[in-house]
Amino acid sequence: MGVNGQAVVNTQWGWKPLVSPYTGVKVLSVGSLLASEESSLAFRGPRKTALIKTFVKDVLWGRLDYLIFDTPPGTSDEHLSIVKVLQNAKPDGAIIVTTPQAVAIATVRKEISFCRKMGLRIIGLVENMNGFSCPCCGELSQLFPAADGKKLAEECNITYLGSLPLCSGISQCSEDGQNTLEGDYAGSTALKALCTTIQNIIEGEGLT
């Protein structure tokens, strides 16, 4: 997101989120609060829950088009805390992300069950790392024995939003904090797939 080196400012009205130089996207993560990249954070349940509440209620987000929480895989304290904190805000729902491997599919099944038990609507499923996009010709090669994300979506009766192949160029842009929509990879197969998936989410939700 290009926010490395920016500091989170704590004001009398709350924390000011970091602002990406790319289209002004606002960003905040636990990593933003650490003194250095080598620092770690050892928080247990109650303190993690308090920090998540702070991210939602005590940050000067201002007027937003979308507020997106990127959570770790599984069904841990973080997921439960976010759902409870946002209950009154009535979020649009959850976007489930999986990869084609069987172990990932098994974890995602639990996430789908969790969302349904919590009454959280599932917007759809995205299959990440579905193939590798050749940096020379753009041809897609499958890395795993089978891509089961679409089958899982059908079994669980949720919308399949799209699949995203791995692309070394886009990965490098992300690592360097560069805008993937500009430069050498603007017309790549992987980026087109990403844009199509995002468009499917927006149009499917009527969020345009």
Side-chain angles (χ1 to χ4, degrees):
M1 301 298 290
V3 296
N4 285 351
Q6 292 188 34
V8 177
V9 178
N10 190 7
T11 73
Q12 59 180 319
W13 300 284
W15 288 345
K16 291 181 66 177
L18 309 181
V19 180
S20 171
Y22 309 122
T23 66
V25 175
K26 296 174 182 178
V27 186
L28 192 62
S29 72
V30 173
S32 312
L33 307 175
L34 301 179
S36 70
E37 293 182 358
E38 289 77 26
S39 300
S40 62
L41 193 65
F43 271 9
R44 303 191 74 172
R47 294 189 70 186
K48 273 198 289 188
T49 300
L51 185 59
I52 290 170
K53 287 181 179 178
T54 299
F55 274 24
V56 177
K57 297 181 177 180
D58 299 324
V59 174
L60 298 172
W61 290 113
R63 294 182 66 85
L64 299 173
D65 294 318
Y66 312 106
L67 179 62
I68 301 171
F69 285 86
D70 182 16
T71 63
T75 54
S76 60
D77 287 351
E78 290 90 341
H79 303 82
L80 187 59
S81 298
I82 289 171
V83 171
K84 287 188 173 181
V85 168
L86 293 177
Q87 230 165 14
N88 293 333
K90 297 180 180 178
D92 292 297
I95 298 170
I96 306 291
V97 180
T98 187
T99 53
Q101 308 101 305
V103 64
I105 296 289
T107 301
V108 166
R109 285 184 186 277
K110 296 174 184 177
E111 292 176 353
I112 293 170
S113 175
F114 170 84
C115 289
R116 287 174 171 164
K117 284 181 180 178
M118 297 301 298
L120 181 63
R121 179 171 165 269
I122 298 173
I123 294 172
L125 182 141
V126 176
E127 189 169 22
N128 198 14
M129 297 169 59
N130 186 2
F132 173 75
S133 177
C134 175
C136 299
C137 65
E139 182 180 351
L140 288 179
S141 303
Q142 290 302 323
L143 298 175
F144 305 104
D148 290 325
K150 194 168 188 178
K151 181 180 177 183
L152 174 65
E154 291 172 355
E155 289 177 1
C156 296
N157 195 29
I158 59 178
T159 303
Y160 185 74
L161 296 168
S163 63
L164 306 175
L166 283 169
C167 173
S168 57
I170 291 178
S171 297
Q172 191 60 53
C173 284
S174 300
E175 291 290 331
D176 296 339
Q178 297 176 358
N179 190 351
T180 56
L181 297 175
E182 299 175 355
D184 298 336
Y185 304 101
S188 69
T189 303
L191 190 59
K192 287 178 181 176
L194 177 61
C195 292
T196 299
T197 301
I198 293 171
Q199 196 63 36
N200 287 342
I201 295 170
I202 294 173
E203 289 180 355
E205 290 304 295
L207 300 176
T208 52

